[in-house]
Amino acid sequence: MRHSSRWFIGMTAGLVLLLSPAWALARTLDSPADGGTVSGIGVISGWKCEAVGDITVRIDGGDHIPLVYGSSRGDTSASCNDDDGLNGFVAIWNWGLLSDGKHTAVVYDNDMEFDRATFTVVTFGESFVTGAADECTIEDFPSMGETATFAWNESTQHLELAEIMGAPEDLEDMDPGVAQFDGNWTAHLDTTGSSCLSATELDCEISNGDLSCFNNVVRGTVNSSGSVAGGVYAGETEIGQFSGTIQDGGTLSYLDCSGDWMLDQHMH
């Protein structure tokens, strides 16, 4: 009876240790993430402080797939109380080999399960796409005013980031409200005087709050409330000024010419 009690106490203590938060932090499957979505060529990866034997993974109860253990994971040093952080496990995997839908990955140490994840696979309907080539752009990504270009990479079976354009030097100084006016406009002028511009309609563009018309002869700034102010230039010499708002237009004067102006947005 005494031996049975000791066995029960020992087993109970062991279960408490296994289920404790500290032990739970001693290993984890990072990729695929539980509840996540995967596609193309990726990795099965994670970490475990100490490996008793071979680290393997089974997908949907299939064969054990070997994982390379001992890769550098410096971010685990504190949890594992070590200095080198050589606690990572990893294997390259083509998710296109699986069918579309839900799957389960279970990782093992010496045939003992220590973590699992249920995830979703999305494929192109074939395991590896060849001969495809294209790119796409996303505006205001990853931040306002930036445009990201992604290009197809056959080796990874993913769209990869190829270029970021138009990023302001200091995003904190940028007023995101001005972006609502970005686009092509027509300036309608109603002016009198011998020095007036021969054109009564000027092609204009607003970009990040900068207004430019008629090959930069008329240029100024727009703020987030729609107020506009600027000048009329002969080369780099300012010969006149204008002011007003996007909504209501305003007044314009240069040399002996004066009158009103109005902006009409014809494409955004």
Side-chain angles (χ1 to χ4, degrees):
M1 184 71 176
R2 181 178 301 172
H3 292 295
S4 298
S5 298
R6 288 178 179 176
W7 177 86
F8 178 77
I9 293 172
M11 287 296 295
T12 302
L15 287 173
V16 170
L17 177 62
L18 290 178
L19 296 176
S20 68
W23 185 89
L25 289 175
R27 77 290 181 276
T28 185
L29 174 63
D30 293 331
S31 176
D34 191 43
T37 300
V38 292
S39 64
I41 307 298
V43 296
I44 301 171
S45 65
W47 58 278
K48 190 174 189 291
C49 289
E50 293 185 11
V52 176
D54 293 333
I55 303 295
T56 60
V57 62
R58 298 176 70 194
I59 299 177
D60 300 332
D63 294 338
H64 284 269
I65 302 168
L67 299 173
V68 176
Y69 179 74
S71 58
S72 179
R73 283 292 301 266
D75 58 309
T76 67
S77 293
S79 298
C80 294
N81 194 28
D82 58 27
D83 296 325
D84 55 23
L86 300 179
N87 308 308
F89 57 81
V90 65
I92 298 174
W93 185 256
N94 181 1
W95 300 112
L97 295 173
L98 304 178
S99 61
D100 289 86
K102 297 286 187 181
H103 296 272
T104 299
V106 181
V107 282
Y108 299 83
D109 181 358
N110 202 30
D111 293 334
M112 294 293 293
E113 176 184 340
F114 63 89
D115 205 0
R116 64 171 52 210
T118 299
F119 56 97
T120 300
V121 170
V122 178
T123 74
F124 293 99
E126 54 186 302
S127 61
F128 195 88
V129 176
T130 60
D134 208 345
E135 63 181 34
C136 65
T137 59
I138 303 177
E139 295 184 355
D140 293 328
F141 181 84
S143 302
M144 182 69 69
E146 296 178 314
T147 298
T149 299
F150 294 84
W152 174 251
N153 186 328
E154 184 173 291
S155 64
T156 65
Q157 297 286 287
H158 286 125
L159 286 169
E160 306 286 356
L161 182 63
E163 187 177 38
I164 292 286
M165 295 289 290
E169 293 182 0
D170 189 351
L171 289 174
E172 294 183 355
D173 294 336
M174 179 180 174
D175 184 350
V178 301
Q180 64 182 305
F181 304 115
D182 282 5
N184 297 319
W185 299 71
T186 298
H188 303 278
L189 308 181
D190 182 12
T191 55
T192 59
S194 60
S195 301
C196 292
L197 291 169
S198 57
T200 58
E201 293 187 353
L202 308 178
D203 290 331
C204 303
E205 180 182 3
I206 298 176
S207 177
N208 287 333
D210 293 326
L211 170 68
S212 174
C213 307
F214 200 51
N215 295 324
N216 222 28
V217 171
V218 178
R219 57 184 185 265
T221 58
V222 184
N223 65 25
S224 59
S225 65
S227 294
V228 186
V232 181
Y233 292 82
E236 294 302 317
T237 302
E238 183 177 303
I239 60 174
Q241 294 183 331
F242 67 93
S243 62
T245 66
I246 289 288
Q247 293 81 9
D248 302 318
T251 59
L252 168 72
S253 64
Y254 59 97
L255 300 178
D256 66 346
C257 184
S258 62
D260 301 316
W261 63 269
M262 176 69 70
L263 284 176
D264 173 41
Q265 189 174 28
H266 55 86
M267 184 176 72
H268 186 70

